[in-house]
Amino acid sequence: MIRSLYTRVVLTFLVSVIGGTIIAFFVAVWVFEDKLSENLQIPLLNFGQDIVRIYETLPLHEADTFVSGMNQLKSYHIRIYEETGEFQSYGELNGHNLVAVSMEQIKRVLDGAVVQANPSGVSTVLLGMPLKTDTETKAIFIEPIALPSSSFAIKWLLNFSTYSLIVGSLLILVSAMFLVRPIKKLTQATKHIAGGDFNVKLNIKQTGELGTLARSFEEMMHDLQQLEQMRREFVTNVSHEVQSPLTSISGYAIALKQVDVADHERSRYLDIIISEAARMSKMSDSLLKLSLLESQSQSLQLATFSLDEQIRRAIIAIQPQWSARSVHFDLHLKAVRLVADHDLLNQVWTNIIGNSIKFSKDGGVINISIEKDIKNVIVRISDTGLGISLEDQKRIFERFFKADRSHNRKYEGSGLGLAIVKQIVSLHQGDIRVESESGQGTTVIVSLPLTTPIGQIDS
C-alpha cells in the first residue's frame, strides 16, 4: 500500500505519461495503418510492375543489364527465383537482413499469384510477382531496404506526439480528480464547521497523508463539538449560579428598604446578603483560578516536601468541618518526599477531603493511604458516604457539575472544586480517577510522579 502522497503523485504522473504514450502509439498506428501500408506497398507494387514490364519488353540479357543499373536499387532489393529455388539478386543490402522466402511462396508466385508478406510489422513488406519471359516463368521478390520518406516520418511523429500529449493529459486530469476529491471534502467540511455545523461525515478511507489528515480533522471536529457544547453549558451554568445569589441579594435589599423591618430581621437580611456576596466572590475566584490553570499561565513553584505531613496538616486545617460531624480518619501514610507545588497540592487534598466529609454520614470514617513505587506516589481517599452513580462519574471533573443534584440546597458548592483539582493534578503530569457506587461510598485515587518534569511545567 502506497501511503506517501508525494510518491503517489509522482507515480500517478509517470503512469499517466507512460500509459498515455503507449496508448497514443497504438492509436497513431491504428489511425495511420492504412497510410503506412499505402506508403510502403503502392510504390513497391508500382516498382514491381515496372520490373516485370522491363523483362517482358526487353531480351533477358538487356533486361538484366538495365535493372542492374537502376537508381531504385538503393531503396529496393530484387531477387529473381528459378523453379529450383536458385535466385539472382540485384541491389546492395547495406546491412539490411532480407526476409526469408519459402518454396511455398515461390511456387505460388510461379503459379501466377501475387504474394505480399509483412512478417515483422509495417516497416517490412515483401512483394512477390510472376515474371514471364519468352522461355520460362520466374518469381520476382522485391523488398524495401530504406525507411519511408522523411516528410512522412516527421508527420507521423508529430501526430504521435499530439496524441500522446492529449491522452496523457486526460489521464492526469482523471487521476487528479481522485487525488483532489478528499481535499475538496475537507474544504466543504471546513465551511460547514465555520457555520457551526459539526455533524459532517467525510467518508475518506485513504491511509496516506490525506487519510491521516482526514482522521485528524474528524478528531478536531469532535473536539470542537465538545468544546462548543461545554461553552454552552458553561454559559448556562454560570448564568444559573450567578442568578441565584443575585436574586437573593436583590430580594433582601428591596426588603431592607421597608421602614417597618425589625432590627433582628434587618440583621438577618444583611447576613444573607453578605453570605451571597461572599459566595459570588468565591465562585469568581474559583473561575479565575481554573482559567489560569487551564491556560497553564501559572507556573509551578516546585519544592521538595513531605507529602504525608502535608496531608496531616490539611486534615487539621479543616478540623471544624469533621469534628462537627463526628467524622473519624483512618490514616495509613507512608513517609514520602515529593517534588511538586506545595500550595497547589494543598488545595487538592483540602478539596477532596472536604468533599469526603461533606458527603459522609455523621460518625463516618474516612480512610487515607499513601503508596509509592519507583516513579510514582498513589494517594487513596475513601469515604462511606452517598457514593456517585456511574453516569455521574464520567462528568465529575467538569465545571459546575454537581453529582448530588437532588441535594444541591443541602450541600453547598459551585461545582468548580474537582475541576480545579483535575487541572492541578494534570499540571503535575499526574492522574486522578474516581471509584464509587451509589450508597457505597467513594474512593478518589490520585497518582503523582515523585519528581515533576521541569520541561512540562513551563508556561
Side-chain angles (χ1 to χ4, degrees), residues 300-311:
L300 297 182
Q301 303 298 320
L302 297 182
T304 303
F305 57 91
S306 174
L307 177 61
D308 54 303
E309 183 63 24
Q310 183 186 48
I311 293 177

Side-chain angles (χ1 to χ4, degrees), residues 82-260:
E82 305 287 345
E83 293 183 359
T84 59
E86 296 179 356
F87 68 92
Q88 184 178 358
S89 62
Y90 301 87
E92 298 179 1
L93 294 176
N94 296 326
H96 181 79
N97 294 323
L98 296 175
V99 177
V101 178
S102 65
M103 288 301 298
E104 180 182 357
Q105 290 174 322
I106 295 173
K107 187 176 182 303
R108 289 177 58 195
V109 173
L110 291 175
D111 291 338
V114 176
V115 175
Q116 292 184 2
N118 185 13
S120 59
V122 295
S123 62
T124 302
V125 176
L126 180 67
L127 175 65
M129 302 176 65
L131 176 61
K132 295 181 181 181
T133 63
D134 296 336
T135 58
E136 60 180 335
T137 301
K138 298 182 179 182
I140 179 173
F141 285 87
I142 305 173
E143 181 179 348
I145 59 175
L147 295 174
S149 63
S150 59
S151 61
F152 178 81
I154 292 174
K155 183 178 179 181
W156 188 87
L157 288 175
L158 180 61
N159 281 272
F160 170 74
S161 301
T162 303
Y163 288 130
S164 178
L165 178 61
I166 294 174
V167 175
S169 300
L170 290 175
L171 289 177
I172 290 176
L173 287 175
V174 174
S175 302
M177 289 176 60
F178 290 97
L179 291 175
V180 174
R181 184 181 297 173
I183 299 177
K184 288 185 176 180
K185 288 184 178 180
L186 288 172
T187 302
Q188 292 297 325
T190 302
K191 293 180 180 179
H192 284 287
I193 292 176
D197 180 13
F198 297 97
N199 296 318
V200 180
K201 301 296 182 181
L202 293 177
N203 294 324
I204 297 177
K205 303 186 182 302
Q206 297 182 11
T207 56
E209 286 91 341
L210 289 177
T212 302
L213 176 61
R215 251 70 76 193
S216 299
F217 189 89
E218 289 176 340
E219 292 176 1
M220 180 198 69
M221 185 168 54
H222 178 70
D223 292 341
L224 287 175
Q225 188 175 17
Q226 288 186 327
L227 185 62
E228 177 64 15
Q229 182 65 26
M230 290 175 61
R231 185 190 66 82
R232 292 176 181 177
E233 291 182 357
F234 175 77
V235 172
T236 301
N237 291 329
V238 169
S239 300
H240 174 74
E241 293 294 332
V242 171
Q243 185 64 32
S244 178
L246 283 178
T247 301
S248 296
I249 292 174
S250 176
Y252 287 108
I254 293 174
L256 285 174
K257 294 180 66 176
Q258 298 179 8
V259 180
D260 56 348

Side-chain angles (χ1 to χ4, degrees), residues 282 285-291 293-294 344 347-348 351 397-399 414-426:
K282 182 178 179 181
D285 291 340
S286 297
L287 281 172
L288 179 61
K289 182 70 173 179
L290 182 59
S291 177
L293 291 173
E294 288 180 338
L344 289 181
Q347 293 183 45
V348 171
N351 186 282
F397 297 107
E398 293 181 11
R399 290 174 292 186
S414 62
L416 294 172
L418 287 180
I420 293 175
V421 167
K422 174 71 173 179
Q423 289 300 321
I424 293 175
V425 173
S426 296

